[in-house]
Amino acid sequence: VPDSAEPIRIEVRAEQPYPVMVGTGLLDRLPGLLDPTVQRVAVIHPPTMIDLASRVVRQLTEAGLEPTRIDVPDGEAAKTVDVAATCWAVLGQAGFTRSDAVVGVGGGATTDLAGFVAATWLRGVALVNVPTTVLGMVDAAVGGKTGINTAEAKNLVGSFHEPVGVLCDLEVLQSLPAADLVAGLAEVVKCGFIADPAILDLVESDPAAALGPGSASLRELVERAIRVKAAVVSADLREATSSGSQVGRELLNYGHTLGHAIERREQYRWRHGEAISVGMVFVAQLSMLAGRLDRATVDRHTAILSSVGLPVTYPADAFDELLATMALDKKTRGSTLRFVILDGLARASILAGPSEDLLRAAYRAVAA
Ligand SMILES: NC(=O)c1ccc[n+]([C@@H]2O[C@H](COP(=O)([O-])OP(=O)(O)OC[C@H]3O[C@@H](n4cnc5c(N)ncnc54)[C@H](O)[C@@H]3O)[C@@H](O)[C@H]2O)c1
């Protein structure tokens, strides 16, 4: 796909359907996503994205709107009730009404906060996400989950609030630190295993190309992963409780049960994608030990994830602590641990209540 390729448009079939645009030079489409009644627009961004946020502000001003830039702390430090309160104060002072809007410009942490502010201001105003990380584009900015952290744990407070549009401008990835790009690829590879194996072929054919911020390969990977997320959330907008072997939005949690426990044990010094990379290898092995998945597909997890520089091992002596944390995972229902596993490529199902012995055996695949 040449760089000048027309942006592609992926529709999320929410209560109010909305487009996710993927391409380059997309910022001029932002005003068009907003209702003509919108007047004031808060542009929420971290310090690293000040140039992009200023360009967004210029676009909005030229379109006759009244933008207000809100500079919030970088990354996870933005996802606090204090930062949300600062944003509410700015909106209050600028006289934001029900018919005004919020734009989130940044990684997943920023769009989670911006979404939460949009969801809560006057019980909900229009939101546009401009994700600037791979993870933001393929995951956080799409699907309507917004939220902040508390002192106890991540993402405990939040709300479903769908955006009116999402602009994934691939040019912004040029400045993304390599480690963040790699971490985002973990979610892309996840989409390959759970739903779209063409993603796996693409990474395998040229892992280095997948890591190039301007490459046609990365563009296609991002596009394919967004299609997977859009399809899953369109079918299950509010993460209806899955039961039995039915997999709805829970599908997206492939690799996440162990991944979340690793993130916690690392006190969030590991990136999310790094932790779920190990989590996917673990759960692939679990799928195999449960008699559901073949050895070659398990090995394919390790090979693909390590080919783009993601970790596939974790300390052997950490298992007991990780198991205790998994048992506490908020996604766990009752006292039974649930894992999204694979019966084959793009064939996910649920494994509920595996024995500790089975989990311990699966952990050997990642134990270093
Ligand atoms: N809402 C959801 O459905 C959902 C899904 C997955 C993850 N999340 C959330 O997303 C967050 C993680 O997102 P993330 O990995 O994007 O992290 P992040 O938002 O913390 O961004 C990572 C770092 O990259 C910097 N950055 C972002 N874009 C850049 C760019 N283009 N150039 C240079 N630097 C840039 C940021 O300033 C930050 O320091 C977590 O808080 C997680 O809970 C939400």
Side-chain angles (χ1 to χ4, degrees), residues 48-49 74-76 79 107-109 112 132-133 135 145 155 172 175:
T48 51
M49 288 291 111
D74 192 41
E76 237 19 65
K79 286 177 63 171
D112 272 12
T132 62
T133 61
L135 181 84
K145 281 193 184 180
N155 299 323
V172 307
S175 60

Side-chain angles (χ1 to χ4, degrees), residues 131-207:
T132 62
T133 61
V134 172
L135 181 84
M137 291 179 186
V138 305
D139 196 357
V142 179
K145 281 193 184 180
T146 76
I148 57 174
N149 305 327
T150 68
E152 286 69 36
K154 277 186 51 147
N155 299 323
L156 284 185
V157 177
S159 149
F160 281 100
H161 186 66
E162 304 280 352
V164 298
V166 181
L167 292 179
C168 303
D169 192 328
L170 298 162
E171 259 166 30
V172 307
L173 298 179
Q174 299 283 354
S175 60
L176 185 67
D180 286 297
L181 195 151
V182 167
L185 285 178
E187 293 286 1
V188 174
V189 169
K190 177 195 79 180
C191 291
F193 280 110
I194 61 174
D196 180 9
I199 287 175
L200 307 176
D201 300 336
L202 203 59
V203 176
E204 281 166 341
S205 70
D206 191 350

Side-chain angles (χ1 to χ4, degrees), residues 10-18 20 142-144 162 226-239 248-249 252:
I10 299 162
E11 204 77 11
V12 180
R13 294 182 302 280
E15 273 155 40
Q16 301 285 325
Y18 59 89
V20 181
V142 179
E162 304 280 352
I226 294 172
R227 283 191 200 284
V228 171
K229 172 119 195 206
V232 172
V233 301
S234 294
D236 179 10
L237 290 172
R238 298 270 157 135
E239 196 165 49
R249 197 164 167 153
L252 299 168

